[in-house]
Structures are given as structure tokens and as C-alpha cells.
């Protein structure tokens, strides 16, 4: 399976590309915003394409040509303003869904955030971000795509442990990005995960 | 018909409340954010209730108790940040839809913006605002509500002319807020407008 990783320059996106690259049955197509990032992946023998989430659906569809699945790991990030939260985390994500559908791609795995589905659990300072993720997830669940929504807790750069809890409503907690990348990989390669949305945390 | 006007302190909201107040067949319930605004309406013999679009769906549902229709005319406004665009224009609007449904209210008229439905017509500097309006409108169209979506052009404080063009895709233009308030009033009182979304501009 050829998997387009949207946001392949992000910390989780990078690890997911590596996992795909090292798996004989799969192939990564790294989607990045900048030419320097594209070059970095190409130097590691990874196919890399430019894709701007603020571009048009048609441009995003071009970037998805020939792939079998999409993993959306992009985020505007904590250092940009809420204009980018609206244009990247909300509109960019949904344009990517529309682009996938335009290409006839069915499988779509979304990196979301813990309890993005429940407004009452949104921390005050993160509410705008959560609102964007919430409505992107809602659009995905109503689409014709074969979706999976992964909602990790607070992300850390710790080494992965390979032990995670998943559930519809977990208590708040942490999880290493490495473990999140493995969960995304597992979702991409398991049809059982289609149509499921869940929190994921480190297990004891 | 008792119509809740959400955003009754806004320029269009105020005019819609006046139209409802002066119509023998209808009654306005002005929803406002601040007690001083509530008092102003009460001094004019208009029922006014406090409603915070950043509150919960349950709180918004309380504010909609006993009304027959909702006109959503609220907006975070150009002077607030895009955090409020996400929390008011997007999440606040959709929470109001959910609150209306929780109260068994069917009729819902949304004040949107010219071509909010077409990304290619979003002016660069207004893109975040348009994204919020776009997805609020999409949620409304997919809801069980009897919706109408009114998408006016650039709003002016000129006197209304009573002459407007409506259409699925009009060229850009202007329209006095007074005319927009009359269009919203017409939508509320005409079942023919249920399930319709349209641009509206001043006609020659």
C-alpha cells in the first residue's frame, strides 16, 4: 500500500514515514510544504511531494495521485495564530478529505486530539484548536471515506513503550509520539479499524 | 411566532428585533451577551435573555426555551481575534443549532456571508472568517432543522431600498443592513424558503 503522509515534516509524520519505509509491504509518499523538506526525504530515498494545505482541493488531489491511503498528521502548530488553525487544522484537513475522494482514495486516518469529540473536556487555552479538530473529525465521520480517528493525549518525545490503552473516553494522560506513529501505522494496515474513533494513551 | 434573535445587539440583529416587534403576528426574544444589553431591550418592552455563545449547549437551550424559530445574526466581529472566530462564528453557531434541536425548534435562519459556500471566492484577508462560516453552514445544511442560509454582500449602513437580488451565485456587491434584516424577516415567515441558501445584494 502506498500511503501519503500529510505533514511529513512534523514529529509524528516523520516517524510514520520511517515506519512505512521500513515495512516491505508498504511505501510512503511524504507530503511537505517546503522544497528543503522535500529534498531531505528524497535524500533518504523517500518519494516526497509538495502540498500546501492552504492551496486548492485540485492541487491537493494532484499531490495525492496514485496513493492508496492518506494519513493526516499535519497541524498548524502552537506557534502560529488561530487564522492558521482555521485554514490548516480545519479547512486544510477537510480539503484533504475532498482531494482524497476526488482521487478515489478510500482509506483516511486522522491524527486528532484527546477528547476532541467532547466539548466539555476542552482545556480553556486550547479551545480554538479543539474546535477546529472537532469539526474536521465530524466532516470525516460523515464522509464516504474509510476513516479512522486517533485521539492521543499529551504528546511527549519519550521513547515509545509499545504499550498503549485505547478507548472511547480515557482519562487525560500522556503518550510518546513514537507510540502514536505506531498506532497510526496499525490503523492503516488493519481494516478492523475502519469507522472507529478513539482516545489513545500510554498504558502502565 | 416567537423568534429568538441570536446576536440581538448587532446592527442587523437590532433591526430584526424591531421588525418582529412591530409585526402583530410575531414576537421577538432578544438574545444578548451582556446585562446592559438585556436591560436596553427590556426598556423597549422586548423580552430579552442572556446567552453566551461560548457557553454550553444546555445553557443555550435554556435561553431558547419556548421559542418557535431561531435567527442567528451573531458574529465575533472584525475587532476580535480568530480564536473568537472559531469559538463564536463556528462552534457558537453549531452549538446554537444543537440547542434548537434539543428544544424541538425546527426553524433556523442563518446570517452567513456572500459565497461562503465557494472557497475560490474567499478574499485572502477574510479566509479564516469564511472558513468558520462555511463549516457552520455545512453543519446546518446537514441538520434536521428547517434551515435557510442568507449570504449578503458587503454590508452598509445606508437606508434600505427594499430592492434586492437573490441567487445561488451573484457577482460581488453591497447591501444595506436594513435590507438584510427584511430578508431575514421574510425567510422566517415564508415556508418556501426552507432548505434554501442564497447570496443577496442590492438590486438596481
Amino acid at each position: 500500500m502506498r500511503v501519503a503522509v500529510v505533514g511529513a515534516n512534523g514529529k509524528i509524520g516523520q516517524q510514520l514515514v520511517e515506519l512505512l519505509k521500513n515495512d516491505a509491504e508498504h511505501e510512503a509518499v511524504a507530503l511537505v510544504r517546503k522544497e528543503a523538506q522535500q529534498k531531505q526525504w528524497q535524500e533518504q530515498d523517500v518519494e516526497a511531494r509538495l502540498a500546501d494545505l492552504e492551496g486548492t482541493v485540485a492541487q491537493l488531489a494532484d499531490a495525492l495521485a496514485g496513493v492508496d491511503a492518506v494519513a493526516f498528521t499535519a497541524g498548524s502548530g502552537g506557534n502560529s495564530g488561530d487564522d492558521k488553525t482555521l485554514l490548516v487544522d480545519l479547512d486544510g484537513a477537510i480539503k484533504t478529505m475532498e482531494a482524497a475522494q476526488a482521487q478515489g482514495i478510500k482509506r483516511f486516518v486522522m491524527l486528532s486530539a484527546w477528547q476532541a469529540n467532547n466539548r466539555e473536556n476542552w482545556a480553556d487555552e486550547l479551545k480554538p484548536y479543539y474546535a477546529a479538530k472537532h469539526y474536521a473529525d465530524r466532516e470525516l465521520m460523515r464522509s464516504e471515506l474509510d476513516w479512522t480517528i486517533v485521539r492521543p493525549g499529551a504528546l511527549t518525545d519519550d521513547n515509545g513503550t509499545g504499550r498503549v490503552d485505547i478507548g472511547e473516553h480515557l482519562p487525560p494522560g500522556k503518550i510518546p509520539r513514537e507510540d502514536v506513529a505506531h498506532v497510526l501505522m496499525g490503523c492503516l494496515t488493519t481494516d478492523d479499524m475502519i469507522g472507529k474513533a478513539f482516545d489513545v494513551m500510554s498504558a502502565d
Side-chain angles (χ1 to χ4, degrees), chain A residues 76-140:
Chain A
S76 60
N79 296 323
S80 61
D82 282 323
D83 53 338
K84 298 298 180 192
T85 309
L86 277 153
L87 296 179
V88 173
D89 301 281
L90 179 68
D91 198 33
I94 297 166
K95 285 187 291 188
T96 305
M97 297 168 203
E98 294 176 14
Q101 289 177 298
Q103 284 288 6
I105 301 162
K106 291 295 284 178
R107 198 75 181 93
F108 198 106
V109 175
M110 170 63 85
L111 176 60
S112 183
W114 175 74
Q115 287 293 295
N117 51 321
N118 284 332
R119 292 188 187 100
E120 62 259 40
N121 291 322
W122 300 353
D124 263 348
E125 67 280 13
L126 289 174
K127 268 187 180 173
Y129 171 74
Y130 267 115
K133 297 300 284 179
H134 178 73
Y135 292 106
D137 289 354
R138 268 164 79 148
E139 291 280 340
L140 182 57

Side-chain angles (χ1 to χ4, degrees), chain A residues 4-178:
Chain A
V5 178
V6 184
N9 194 54
K11 287 183 178 179
I12 290 174
Q14 282 180 21
Q15 298 195 48
L16 181 57
V17 171
E18 296 288 346
L19 291 176
L20 288 161
K21 184 180 173 236
N22 295 328
D23 186 309
E25 290 179 38
H26 303 290
E27 205 178 319
V29 178
L31 265 58
V32 293
R33 196 159 45 99
K34 296 179 183 165
E35 283 187 27
Q37 299 162 352
Q38 183 183 28
K39 210 165 195 171
Q40 280 184 325
W41 281 122
Q42 287 168 337
E43 283 165 4
Q44 296 175 59
D45 284 326
V46 171
E47 181 178 350
R49 302 177 186 172
L50 291 176
D52 180 0
L53 291 169
E54 296 185 52
T56 66
V57 172
Q59 289 167 333
L60 290 168
D62 282 346
L64 295 177
V67 310
D68 306 299
V70 175
F72 191 92
T73 71
S76 60
N79 296 323
S80 61
D82 282 323
D83 53 338
K84 298 298 180 192
T85 309
L86 277 153
L87 296 179
V88 173
D89 301 281
L90 179 68
D91 198 33
I94 297 166
K95 285 187 291 188
T96 305
M97 297 168 203
E98 294 176 14
Q101 289 177 298
Q103 284 288 6
I105 301 162
K106 291 295 284 178
R107 198 75 181 93
F108 198 106
V109 175
M110 170 63 85
L111 176 60
S112 183
W114 175 74
Q115 287 293 295
N117 51 321
N118 284 332
R119 292 188 187 100
E120 62 259 40
N121 291 322
W122 300 353
D124 263 348
E125 67 280 13
L126 289 174
K127 268 187 180 173
Y129 171 74
Y130 267 115
K133 297 300 284 179
H134 178 73
Y135 292 106
D137 289 354
R138 268 164 79 148
E139 291 280 340
L140 182 57
M141 287 187 279
R142 274 187 301 230
S143 74
E144 301 291 309
L145 293 161
D146 289 340
W147 53 266
T148 306
I149 297 171
V150 178
R151 301 187 306 245
L155 302 167
T156 74
D157 289 327
D158 297 343
N159 289 329
T161 65
R163 293 190 304 277
V164 299
D165 281 334
I166 73 169
E168 291 218 355
H169 188 162
L170 297 182
K174 294 181 181 179
I175 182 169
R177 288 181 172 85
E178 187 180 345

